[in-house]
Amino acid sequence: MFLDANIYTVVRWLSLKGGRHRVSHDEVQQGRRALVQIIELERELLADLREQSHVIDTSTIRASQLQSYVKSLMSTAQGQLTLVFQSFAFKRGIPMDADYVFDVRMLPNPHYEPTLRDLTGLDQPVADFLRHQPDVSLMRAHIEQFLAHWLDMLDRNHRSYVTVAIGCTGGQHRSVYLVERLAEAFSDRWTALKRHRELDGR
């Protein structure tokens, strides 16, 4: 498990902490480098380790969300491919830990339906609305078809985790609905976990 964050979050955290970055003591030979350069050097040093790990992007999640995510991952069966389906809002950035990202912002948006605006993709009225939209059904089918084609190969390649991120504008309706349906569709064959980045942080 590899905890990561975007460079802006790391810079902010180190600035608030007020300490020096550990790489600045051990690895930087030529004078004092800017903090951003030191962080980039650390990323290079850890690249191989990151490549072999399941990455969790901590840039925009709370400590309680991280705790929940780690617990769910630790409870999955070892040696079996685990799928992590994650909804997110594009306006808050793409998750850095995603292996695949699907943009569903072009689909009909329940936000513009007055009776659905304050609900989420977990609520039945929103699910009913989206289930009856032909483009939503087509998008879901295309994503399922893509994943079904490649997951066996990823499993044979000894991948432990695959994170599939579904993004819409606010991360409340369309992406949440599709994550729920996709996790349901693949749970018969694989261990399928669900995360709703914007909802879990409430």
Side-chain angles (χ1 to χ4, degrees):
M1 209 171 289
F2 188 102
L3 305 185
D4 204 351
N6 63 46
I7 197 160
Y8 307 106
T9 302
V10 176
V11 168
R12 187 175 70 246
W13 181 80
L14 287 170
S15 299
L16 289 172
K17 188 180 176 192
R20 294 176 66 185
H21 192 287
R22 60 185 171 276
V23 177
S24 64
H25 291 293
D26 302 326
E27 301 294 339
V28 180
Q29 303 295 330
Q30 300 175 354
R32 185 175 179 183
R33 295 191 185 186
L35 184 56
V36 171
Q37 291 175 296
I38 294 170
I39 294 168
E40 291 297 343
L41 174 59
E42 182 182 45
R43 288 193 189 284
E44 291 177 25
L45 295 172
L46 296 174
D48 290 342
L49 179 62
R50 188 184 194 280
E51 185 66 28
Q52 299 169 36
S53 306
H54 174 66
V55 180
I56 299 179
D57 180 8
T58 64
S59 304
T60 58
I61 63 174
R62 298 179 181 182
S64 58
Q65 287 176 270
L66 177 60
Q67 184 180 39
S68 175
Y69 294 168
V70 170
K71 282 183 177 179
S72 65
L73 288 169
M74 296 300 288
S75 67
T76 59
Q78 298 297 310
Q80 178 182 343
L81 179 66
T82 296
L83 302 178
V84 180
F85 291 98
Q86 176 172 247
S87 64
F88 72 95
F90 269 98
K91 65 183 181 182
R92 295 190 65 219
I94 297 173
M96 291 173 51
D97 53 357
D99 296 297
Y100 298 104
V101 176
F102 294 94
D103 182 352
V104 299
R105 287 175 290 184
M106 75 293 292
L107 298 178
N109 192 351
H111 176 79
Y112 297 110
E113 301 293 326
T115 59
L116 303 179
R117 180 173 301 157
D118 296 330
L119 303 178
T120 75
L122 299 175
D123 295 308
Q124 195 59 47
V126 173
D128 291 341
F129 171 83
L130 291 170
R131 189 176 70 251
H132 290 100
Q133 303 296 322
D135 285 339
V136 174
S137 298
L138 187 61
M139 174 67 80
R140 174 184 169 183
H142 283 171
I143 296 173
E144 285 184 12
Q145 183 180 24
F146 173 84
L147 292 175
H149 181 81
W150 293 107
L151 286 177
D152 280 324
M153 187 176 295
L154 288 166
D155 188 39
R156 289 195 300 271
N157 199 37
H158 307 293
R159 287 289 296 273
S160 298
Y161 299 96
V162 173
T163 300
V164 179
I166 311 291
C168 61
T169 307
Q172 306 290 319
H173 299 104
R174 296 163 291 183
S175 60
V176 172
Y177 169 79
L178 283 169
V179 160
E180 291 292 318
R181 301 290 80 75
L182 290 166
E184 182 180 42
F186 286 94
S187 61
D188 287 344
R189 174 78 192 277
W190 313 98
T191 299
L193 304 178
K194 298 176 288 186
R195 297 180 191 163
H196 299 298
R197 189 179 75 181
E198 318 312 338
L199 301 186
D200 294 344
R202 285 181 171 181

